[in-house]
Amino acid sequence: MNAKRILQFLRDVSANNNRPWFQAHKDEYLAVKADFEADIAKAILRIAEFDPSVAHITVKDATYRFYRDTRFSPDKSPYKNHIGAYIAAHGKKALHGGYYIHLEPGNCLLSCGNYWLPTNILTSCRNEIMANIDQWRSCVENDEFLRMFGRPCQGGWGSEKGFGLEYLKTAPAGFPRDYEFIDYLRLKNYCCWKKVPETFFEGEQWMDEMVRVFKVGKPMMDFANAVIDDYE
């Protein structure tokens, strides 16, 4: 994909986030959108090679509207400053985790896992981790995972890498505070990510690295999805 063109368009949108400017540059938006979606179609096929559960997903299933929902936001800017795709077996609105590709000036990244879980499912995930801690640790404490994403509760979305977007300051209610692996129970989601340079998505070679990143995160995601799927 022509990531340089896409990111420049996103910069231009950020500097001119209004409907008159966007309408005047609608052709550029449509060209950027088509370029991005063409590579997402290829990415779905590549991911399906090691995770057949997403083989049925279409580009439309994975991509988002570029128009922001401003109804409940103090920021009334009509357009997003990023473009992304969430390739998940149960669809982008489901709790079941998936694979996320994100292009944004200064904040391009790859991520996999789930991004929001209600309390009852979180509690079940935490109980499952405690009951199968050795299996869980094999997913998130192996050298590849630690090198790629790091340890839990140590970074935010703007960090170079991370494991857990949000986490509690202390142990969750009903769980022992002195548990040896309490950081895994403090997580409010099971998401890992790796920031990549803006040049990362140029051409098609980036998909080889995408596959490598997602394969490292997949065992952790599969562990959580096995619990989440009982509720969907």
Side-chain angles (χ1 to χ4, degrees), residues 139 142 144-145 148-149 211-219:
C139 297
N142 61 78
E144 280 191 303
F145 190 96
M148 189 80 71
F149 306 116
V211 167
R212 190 173 78 88
V213 171
F214 288 161
K215 278 185 173 180
V216 173
K218 184 178 183 294

Side-chain angles (χ1 to χ4, degrees), residues 42-206:
K42 296 174 185 176
I44 292 170
L45 294 176
R46 290 294 303 275
I47 294 169
E49 291 176 1
F50 66 88
D51 187 348
S53 72
V54 303
H56 66 286
I57 295 297
T58 66
V59 169
K60 186 177 180 180
D61 295 328
T63 52
Y64 298 88
R65 285 170 50 86
F66 193 62
Y67 308 90
R68 294 182 63 249
D69 183 351
T70 62
R71 290 173 299 173
F72 308 107
S73 172
D75 179 4
K76 299 303 179 183
S77 301
Y79 308 106
K80 297 175 181 176
N81 64 352
H82 64 271
I83 189 169
Y86 185 47
I87 302 164
H90 296 184
K92 58 180 177 276
K93 295 184 179 180
L95 297 176
H96 182 97
Y99 309 93
Y100 183 56
I101 298 165
H102 182 91
L103 272 73
E104 178 184 356
N107 192 37
C108 294
L109 55 85
L110 299 170
S111 175
C112 70
N114 60 75
Y115 301 89
W116 177 85
L117 290 175
T119 301
N120 63 322
I121 300 180
L122 261 178
T123 298
S124 292
C125 286
R126 289 161 175 159
N127 283 324
E128 191 72 14
I129 288 171
M130 290 188 71
N132 299 278
I133 189 61
D134 290 340
Q135 179 188 349
W136 174 255
R137 291 180 66 200
S138 72
C139 297
V140 301
E141 291 185 8
N142 61 78
D143 291 343
E144 280 191 303
F145 190 96
L146 292 173
R147 184 165 53 251
M148 189 80 71
F149 306 116
R151 295 189 179 276
C153 311
Q154 293 186 352
W157 195 240
S159 304
E160 291 299 314
K161 61 183 179 180
F163 176 27
L165 278 173
E166 294 183 315
Y167 42 87
L168 300 171
K169 292 182 179 179
T170 60
F175 289 87
R177 290 176 176 267
D178 60 351
Y179 181 57
E180 182 179 0
F181 306 106
I182 193 62
D183 281 353
Y184 297 130
L185 308 187
R186 291 169 56 207
L187 294 174
K188 297 174 71 175
N189 51 62
Y190 301 97
C191 162
C192 55
W193 70 93
K194 172 182 172 61
K195 200 169 182 179
V196 297
E198 292 190 0
T199 55
F200 176 84
F201 293 101
E202 288 291 339
E204 295 187 6
Q205 294 79 9
W206 66 270

